[in-house]
Amino acid sequence: MAWKSVQSYSFGFRPSDKKYWLYFTLDGATAATQVFLTATQFAALAAMFGAASAIQYETTGGYFATAPRNL
């Protein structure tokens, strides 16, 4: 597994055609990646990113995960 930190991100929505997207930049990258999302995916990722202190991206599997939290 190859984990990288998400350094920055932004969400977007265009009402005219109901398109949702996420831009994110990984640690060490010079360009952002754009991912188009369904409304459900958009809501889930916005909630996840908004509640987390840090987000990691697993480059092999292509998924996001929150950084561990101490309870």
Side-chain angles (χ1 to χ4, degrees):
M1 288 193 277
W3 291 96
K4 291 202 171 203
S5 294
V6 175
Q7 293 301 305
S8 64
Y9 65 89
S10 63
F11 290 96
F13 173 68
R14 185 171 42 217
S16 62
D17 57 4
K18 297 183 176 102
K19 294 275 185 188
Y20 299 86
W21 61 86
L22 162 67
Y23 286 107
F24 65 95
T25 304
L26 298 177
D27 187 33
T30 58
T33 300
Q34 182 180 29
V35 178
F36 289 98
L37 305 166
T38 65
T40 302
Q41 292 168 330
F42 181 89
L45 281 176
M48 180 177 138
F49 276 49
S53 59
I55 301 287
Q56 302 290 317
Y57 183 76
E58 208 291 308
T59 59
T60 305
Y63 60 89
F64 296 100
T66 61
R69 279 190 166 176
N70 294 325
L71 300 177

